[in-house]
Amino acid sequence: MSEELRRSPLHERHVALGAKFAAFGGWEMPLEYAGGGVLREHAAVREGVGVFDVSHLGKARVSGPGAADFVNACLTNDLGRIAPGQAQYTLCCAADGGVVDDLIAYLHADDHVLLVPNAANTAEVVRRLAAAAPPGVTVTDEHEAHAVLAVQGPRSAEVLAGLGLPTGHDYMSFAVAPLDGAGASGATGVVCRTGYTGEHGYELVVRAGDAPAVWDALLKAGGAADARPCGLAARDTLRTEMGYPLHGQDLSAEITPVQARCGWAVGWSKPAFWGREALAAEKAAGPRRQLWGLRSTDRGIPRPHMAVHLPGGARAGEVTSGTFSPTLRVGIGLALLDTAAGLAEGDPVEVDVRGRRSTMTVVKPPFVTPSVR
């Protein structure tokens, strides 16, 4: 691994667990663990509980009088829809409507918003916000100051409760809680009812120095629930089964929220946000392409950039994400399909899988039944 890659404060823990590493957004992060592998780690989350280190995710703090109003005037979703103690999925768009990043905004107070963008885009999101910030509002990059641990699965609440951490708050809300029971005496962390797997779960934002103790405590408390450390390969199969977009594949500078079916995360009635004019025009005209799910009807597995064709005919789009679904035991994926092709749910298409046409069905994700609420 290049010395330029950043490392999680839990890196040595991952080494001890026999992790296989890969680069993610400039960070060296665990892909999967010895004795587990993607299939077992995926199943742990769907059936019990999995613990992820997602400390590569960015952390940026916007503070000062009017901080929430400032963020609301920049990012797409409407922070006015939520109250302090709640979180919101939102997007940072360019003037042309392209997506700079998708992120979660945690509203602490009118003068305090924590943003969690993707690793590779954190610096750009911070740069754009800092350049636009009015006097008195400060935008701080805290990428390496905090770790993020995701505890996901139907038994996740059981694990957190065993450490005295709060579990009863609603989906997309958070609580600041002491970490004494989680091995970090005198420290506090943010316990968020969020996640990227579709299962009931939590994400813990803790100081980087407290992360090793909290990680150890989570795995120990999760012993009775057969908790398993999970890498980012399982995180990808889990999110694909839910149809959750990944920036750089299903959302990008070239793929707008309207095309990616993320219009629900746009506050269309707001007077201002970055990209508003371009997105409103695209919505009114109708997008030239739109994101759909694909489910294989044979043994083919869709992969990014594979061409999608009408049966026996012309090209109709391109796969943006694809994998083998451990839950369904078939290939699944997301694809941008040309609106002019007239495809609808249930229609057959053919995907060029390494020179062979594989038959798949157009579907609306999620591919599996979500349980987050």
Side-chain angles (χ1 to χ4, degrees):
M1 285 291 173
S2 168
E3 291 300 320
E4 296 179 359
L5 293 177
R6 297 179 180 183
R7 286 180 169 177
S8 159
L10 296 169
H11 183 80
E12 295 307 318
R13 295 295 197 276
H14 304 318
V15 171
L17 288 167
K20 176 182 178 181
F21 292 92
F24 286 87
W27 290 66
E28 184 181 1
M29 298 299 293
L31 186 68
E32 59 183 55
Y33 293 89
V38 178
L39 296 182
R40 288 185 178 181
E41 292 170 18
H42 182 107
V45 175
R46 289 281 182 247
E47 299 167 8
V49 62
V51 182
F52 299 79
D53 176 13
V54 288
S55 299
H56 62 301
L57 294 176
K59 307 95 190 168
R61 199 172 303 277
V62 184
S63 57
D69 288 339
F70 164 65
V71 170
N72 202 30
C74 298
L75 307 185
T76 62
N77 214 334
D78 189 353
L79 272 180
R81 296 172 180 168
I82 66 173
Q86 293 181 304
Q88 186 180 72
Y89 178 81
T90 189
L91 303 118
C92 175
C93 288
D96 65 359
V99 181
V100 176
D101 199 22
D102 62 333
L103 58 160
I104 302 290
Y106 294 93
L107 180 60
H108 284 261
D110 291 341
D111 61 355
H112 179 193
V113 182
L114 175 69
L115 302 175
V116 178
N118 287 291
N121 303 322
T122 298
E124 179 61 14
V125 170
V126 169
R127 185 194 70 77
R128 287 173 178 255
L129 288 169
V137 172
T138 302
V139 182
T140 309
D141 187 339
E142 300 185 0
H143 203 154
E144 296 190 70
H146 307 280
V148 183
L149 309 181
V151 185
Q152 300 283 300
R155 301 186 70 178
S156 55
E158 176 184 332
V159 174
L160 264 64
L163 299 177
L165 296 173
T167 62
H169 41 304
D170 292 335
Y171 180 57
M172 295 301 287
S173 66
F174 63 92
V176 178
L179 299 174
D180 299 81
S185 181
T188 61
V190 180
V191 182
C192 316
R193 260 285 279 124
T194 51
Y196 197 46
T197 67
E199 297 298 332
H200 187 104
Y202 305 84
E203 292 177 312
L204 281 62
V205 182
V206 303
R207 293 183 305 189
D210 295 327
V214 176
W215 172 267
D216 292 346
L218 287 169
L219 291 182
K220 182 177 180 181
D226 295 323
R228 182 179 289 273
C230 298
L232 298 187
R235 180 176 162 89
D236 190 61
T237 57
L238 289 157
R239 71 92 188 170
T240 304
E241 286 188 345
M242 296 306 301
Y244 293 158
L246 176 65
H247 190 274
Q249 292 183 197
D250 316 299
L251 289 164
S252 71
E254 291 76 39
I255 305 172
T256 71
V258 178
Q259 295 169 20
R261 296 184 185 272
C262 289
W264 60 269
V266 178
W268 297 107
S269 62
K270 291 198 306 181
F273 58 85
W274 293 338
R276 185 184 190 282
E277 184 175 336
L279 290 174
E282 183 180 36
K283 180 186 178 188
R288 63 182 177 84
R289 56 185 184 172
Q290 198 151 44
L291 200 67
W292 285 92
L294 300 178
R295 177 168 174 158
S296 179
T297 57
D298 56 27
R299 300 182 66 181
I301 300 175
R303 300 294 184 186
H305 307 300
M306 288 181 174
V308 181
H309 296 265
L310 297 174
R315 182 180 173 117
E318 182 176 280
V319 176
T320 54
S321 286
T323 189
F324 174 77
S325 165
T327 302
L328 301 175
R329 313 299 293 182
V330 298
I332 60 171
L334 301 174
L336 278 172
L337 302 181
D338 298 337
T339 306
L343 290 164
E345 187 172 13
D347 287 346
V349 293
E350 295 176 346
V351 176
D352 187 346
V353 180
R354 295 184 295 277
R356 181 182 66 83
R357 292 287 182 97
S358 176
T359 303
M360 303 192 186
T361 302
V362 176
V363 300
K364 283 187 177 180
F367 297 93
V368 300
T369 302
S371 66
V372 289
R373 289 176 177 80

